[in-house]
Amino acid sequence: MRINNLGYLLKEGIKGIFTHGFMSFAAVCVTVACLLIVGSFSILVYNVNIMVEQLNQTNEILAYVDESLSEAEAKSVGTKINMLDNVLRADFIAREEALESFIEDHQDEQESFSGLDATDLRHRFRVVLEDNRLIQETDQNIQNIPGVVKTVAEYELAQGFSTIQDVLQIVSMGIIAVLLAVSLLIISNTVKLAMYDRRDEIAIMKMVGATNGFIRLPFVVEGFTLGMLGAALAFGLEWVMYNAMVVKIGEVDALRLFQFVPFDELLIPMIATFAATGLFVGIVGSWTAIRKFMNV
């Protein structure tokens, strides 16, 4: 195809957007709506998964050190714990700190523990794991370290959090796939309606001897432009809506129970996803929709 023909077809593709303004507007609106639905749900699932992961990390292993060890010797045990696989960190808690924490947790019963001394308690470590699915195996490895006399680990709680994460991922992937399929179907049908509205134009071009490629290219350019325009508008609306939602939740959530990640953290994945979807919908939708009108 000659360069001057290519330039003409590109201009015709852009011109077609304004020539068929209502159908172009409808295609963009449907693209924006579908991308907002899929994008919003994906962001929600991502944030919920982060929250569950944070809750999961609050499930720790307490490792108690032999009472005969000095504080320096007890801290050396922590070095060995930190070297274990699946250990994110091991925070040392001295006897005195453990006593203060115990008294704060039992303020209503202070008289009962008035004679309690720090030497009655053991030095300990609060061990945070990288993957709580391996809590039982990691707990056994900690118990095998010389100087560790006892550990406390909530296996059932860790397994519960892991199960929630697994179920959440499976359900979210299924729902996102369904939403994406429905969105593509709706967008494809909208593009087909636009092509149907222009069937006479396509038939005339065929009858005067235009090749399939010559006919298709303006429609593909038009579909690409509409798809990318819809993706850009959807991305901008998603950004504004997400930030507004985070601010609103922050105003009513005094206890900060819901911690949403800043949109900056989602910026690159969202741009890539919206751009790829807009590109796919625009080009593939227009290419497949026009195919049935080529046989004249």
Side-chain angles (χ1 to χ4, degrees), residues 198-214:
R198 304 169 68 174
R199 65 191 184 281
D200 294 337
E201 178 185 338
I202 298 171
I204 292 171
M205 294 176 70
K206 285 285 292 184
M207 285 187 284
V208 298
T211 63
N212 288 347
F214 189 89

Side-chain angles (χ1 to χ4, degrees), residues 4 48 91 94 98 101-102 114 138 141 150 154 163 209 262 275 294-295:
N4 57 342
V48 171
D91 300 325
S101 177
F102 181 82
S114 57
T138 308
N141 291 335
K150 179 185 176 183
E154 299 290 344
T163 301
M294 298 299 292
N295 299 320

Side-chain angles (χ1 to χ4, degrees), residues 105 148 152 178 188 196:
D105 292 340
V148 175
V152 176
V178 171
S188 177
Y196 184 79

Side-chain angles (χ1 to χ4, degrees), residues 120-276:
D120 298 324
L121 302 177
R122 294 191 179 104
H123 297 302
R124 65 200 66 184
F125 288 91
R126 183 184 294 113
V127 184
V128 180
L129 308 183
E130 294 177 356
D131 185 357
N132 275 315
R133 293 178 178 84
L134 304 176
I135 187 172
Q136 192 166 354
E137 175 184 335
T138 308
D139 182 40
Q140 186 60 52
N141 291 335
I142 293 173
Q143 293 179 24
N144 293 333
I145 293 178
V148 175
V149 295
K150 179 185 176 183
T151 61
V152 176
E154 299 290 344
Y155 296 158
E156 294 80 5
L157 187 60
Q159 291 170 356
F161 279 127
S162 298
T163 301
I164 291 174
Q165 279 188 295
D166 293 339
V167 171
L168 180 63
Q169 289 177 357
I170 293 172
V171 172
S172 62
M173 288 177 62
I175 294 177
I176 290 173
V178 171
L179 287 174
L180 188 58
V182 171
S183 300
L184 291 176
L185 181 62
I186 294 173
I187 293 170
S188 177
N189 287 334
T190 304
V191 174
K192 286 180 181 178
L193 287 174
M195 296 299 106
Y196 184 79
D197 187 51
R198 304 169 68 174
R199 65 191 184 281
D200 294 337
E201 178 185 338
I202 298 171
I204 292 171
M205 294 176 70
K206 285 285 292 184
M207 285 187 284
V208 298
T211 63
N212 288 347
F214 189 89
I215 297 172
R216 278 195 180 105
L217 184 58
F219 290 103
V220 172
V221 171
E222 185 176 342
F224 165 79
T225 305
L226 292 174
M228 295 307 292
L229 179 60
L233 289 173
F235 176 79
L237 286 173
E238 190 74 64
W239 193 342
V240 172
M241 291 168 56
Y242 182 83
N243 286 334
M245 180 198 68
V246 171
V247 171
K248 189 64 177 178
I249 291 177
E251 291 175 354
V252 299
D253 184 19
L255 298 178
R256 302 185 67 81
L257 298 175
F258 301 99
Q259 297 289 330
F260 288 87
V261 300
F263 195 83
D264 293 346
E265 185 176 324
L266 307 169
L267 198 61
I268 301 302
M270 292 298 292
I271 290 176
T273 302
F274 276 51

Side-chain angles (χ1 to χ4, degrees), residues 277-288:
T277 305
L279 183 67
F280 176 82
V281 165
I283 294 180
V284 176
S286 59
W287 185 275
T288 56

